[in-house]
Amino acid sequence: MKITDIRFGMLRVPLKTPFKTALRTVEQVEDVVVMVHTDTGQVGYGSAPATAVITGDTHGSIVDAVRHYISPRLIGQDIANLNRITHLVQGAMEKNSSAKAAVEIAVHDLWGQLYGAPLYKLLGGGDPVITTDITISVDYIDKMVADSIAAVERGFESLKIKVGKDIGVDIERTKAIHAAVEGRALLRLDANQGWSAKQAVYALQTLEDAGVKLELVEQPVKAHDLEGLRYVTERVHTPVMADESVFGPMEVIELIRMRAADIVNIKLMKTGGISNAVRIADICGMHGIDCMIGCMLESSIGVGAAVHLAVAKSDVITKVDLDGPSLCQFDPVDGGVLFNESEITVTDRPGLGIKEIRGLSPIAGEKAA
Ligand code: MG
């Protein structure tokens, strides 16, 4: 099975409600879909959203990176040589982690198709059912409390609460949500870089003293402030998780060396795909550090790939934040991963198991897919 062509499409799916963090507000999912064609007629699917304020990738940069830097290296490569292909993808250029991820996801889809097995089985197997949390967008306190109660009533047992706007209000937000759902849901706090190190320590100690038990706090300080992250980790009881601070394995090694955080959030769009995500899980496993698997606001193509990884690495990836598809009004992908509110199930279809993607539109300079 040799790669013959790489084509693109755009997939747009409206969200149920706008997604608001300390960094941005998003109204709809917009993914670049990458389709890797082969000489057997089989097609592998991958995808990547634009996350300019996180990875620096835009739709234009993703297409350009794949079209002009990654694709020329892959034409003619045999899918059976997966490690050679991922090496070619990673070495094609610096950064551009989302473009690399989209291609790696598609190639892994084909790798599963080649051997007639779902991806998670080839990555080591596991129990093909996982449970995700759901994001509560940052908003007025009453709105966040109402959204939290509604999520618990929909069956979610973990809530990822977005904060990081105003330290005083953030403390009140968290207390109010805790009071409303105490005993019914675990609370994960994501500050999305919105606090200083001292503010984070103040907020978390205040919450701890008030009896608000958090499962973790995510990325309290700026992405590049590893010293600040360590400052927080050393001073609070609440486990601290790094998200925007760590992209690839090298950053994870540095984070562990510095003891800057307790948990690592793996996202395929940061790692550049599955090969480095596996490395991170293995590095963390060796050091006894738990991982979360996360996603961007993206469709169930890329999130589906993350699900396969989470199933196969569930010893290390103990926390799942893959709510992208459940935040959408509908799932345009008829595939092997079924998203039903908090429960995510993987079928035994080969690769990612994608049968059809509805509503794919052409991108500039491409013929319709
Ligand atoms: Mg985060």
Side-chain angles (χ1 to χ4, degrees):
M1 187 190 284
K2 289 188 174 161
I3 298 173
T4 54
D5 195 10
I6 298 184
R7 295 183 201 162
F8 305 90
M10 279 301 298
L11 187 61
R12 294 185 177 85
V13 195
L15 295 175
K16 288 173 182 163
T17 54
F19 183 89
K20 299 177 192 171
T21 75
L23 292 176
R24 60 188 184 141
T25 296
V26 185
E27 309 273 347
Q28 66 172 349
V29 163
E30 284 184 282
D31 276 2
V32 172
V33 176
V34 171
M35 290 160 281
V36 177
H37 290 252
T38 64
D39 59 359
T40 64
Q42 281 153 299
V43 179
Y45 294 97
S47 64
T51 53
V53 294
I54 303 166
T55 65
D57 296 290
T58 64
H59 292 138
S61 77
I62 291 165
V63 172
D64 200 71
V66 176
R67 188 181 273 158
H68 298 299
Y69 294 86
I70 300 173
S71 179
R73 301 182 130 212
L74 300 195
I75 303 301
Q77 290 294 326
D78 193 332
I79 292 297
N81 299 323
L82 181 72
N83 289 348
R84 179 188 296 165
I85 294 176
T86 58
H87 189 72
L88 288 170
V89 171
Q90 298 304 321
M93 64 202 306
E94 285 295 311
K95 314 280 184 188
N96 288 274
S97 55
S98 302
K100 292 172 183 172
V103 174
E104 274 213 4
I105 290 166
V107 168
H108 280 78
D109 182 17
L110 288 167
W111 188 52
Q113 293 179 43
L114 176 65
Y115 295 114
L119 180 57
Y120 79 88
K121 287 196 177 176
L122 296 183
L123 293 175
D127 184 2
V129 184
I130 56 175
T131 305
T132 182
D133 63 13
I134 191 164
T135 302
I136 306 297
S137 282
V138 62
D139 216 312
Y140 300 108
I141 293 177
D142 291 351
K143 169 88 168 105
M144 292 182 76
V145 169
D147 288 350
S148 299
I149 292 169
V152 169
E153 283 168 359
R154 280 163 63 195
F156 288 95
E157 292 172 349
S158 300
L159 306 180
K160 176 132 146 193
I161 302 161
K162 293 289 190 183
V163 292
K165 285 285 225 193
D166 173 296
I167 194 83
V169 184
D170 285 339
I171 293 169
E172 293 312 312
R173 284 183 172 106
T174 310
K175 281 184 182 172
I177 293 169
H178 178 261
V181 302
E182 189 178 6
R184 293 192 288 164
L186 291 174
L187 301 185
R188 301 166 174 174
L189 222 54
D190 189 355
N192 282 109
Q193 312 180 46
W195 296 335
S196 71
K198 287 195 172 187
Q199 282 178 324
V201 171
Y202 166 71
L204 293 164
Q205 288 182 347
T206 302
L207 289 167
E208 286 168 3
D209 290 347
V212 176
K213 194 163 165 36
L214 301 170
E215 187 188 5
L216 57 89
V217 62
E218 177 170 351
Q219 198 64 47
V221 301
K222 290 270 178 283
H224 298 293
D225 188 11
L226 279 189
E227 294 285 352
L229 201 60
R230 175 165 68 182
Y231 179 93
V232 180
T233 301
E234 283 174 345
R235 285 166 178 78
V236 301
H237 297 293
T238 305
V240 175
M241 181 165 73
D243 183 7
E244 291 95 325
S245 285
V246 288
F247 272 47
M250 297 304 283
E251 286 136 334
V252 169
I253 289 168
E254 179 64 9
L255 185 95
I256 292 171
R257 196 189 63 73
M258 285 180 63
R259 298 182 178 274
D262 305 294
I263 309 168
V264 170
N265 190 344
I266 301 173
K267 291 177 180 166
L268 297 182
M269 294 302 136
K270 295 188 299 175
T271 61
I274 294 166
S275 61
N276 275 336
V278 167
R279 289 187 184 102
I280 291 175
D282 290 343
I283 291 165
C284 287
M286 287 167 61
H287 290 87
I289 289 184
D290 276 2
C291 294
M292 173 180 277
I293 185 90
C295 60
M296 304 299 183
L297 254 186
E298 54 181 310
S299 77
S300 62
I301 304 171
V303 180
V307 170
H308 281 268
L309 177 74
V311 166
K313 292 286 176 185
S314 61
D315 282 356
V316 178
I317 301 174
T318 57
K319 300 167 200 311
V320 178
D321 175 31
L322 297 176
D323 64 351
S326 62
L327 298 173
C328 292
Q329 288 183 18
F330 56 88
D331 188 352
V333 182
D334 188 1
V337 180
L338 309 175
F339 295 86
N340 180 23
E341 298 285 21
S342 64
E343 189 181 274
I344 304 173
T345 315
V346 190
T347 70
D348 268 357
R349 289 178 55 80
L352 296 180
I354 293 170
K355 282 184 272 189
E356 188 192 1
I357 303 170
R358 289 178 293 274
L360 211 51
S361 56
I363 64 158
E366 281 278 312
K367 49 186 179 291

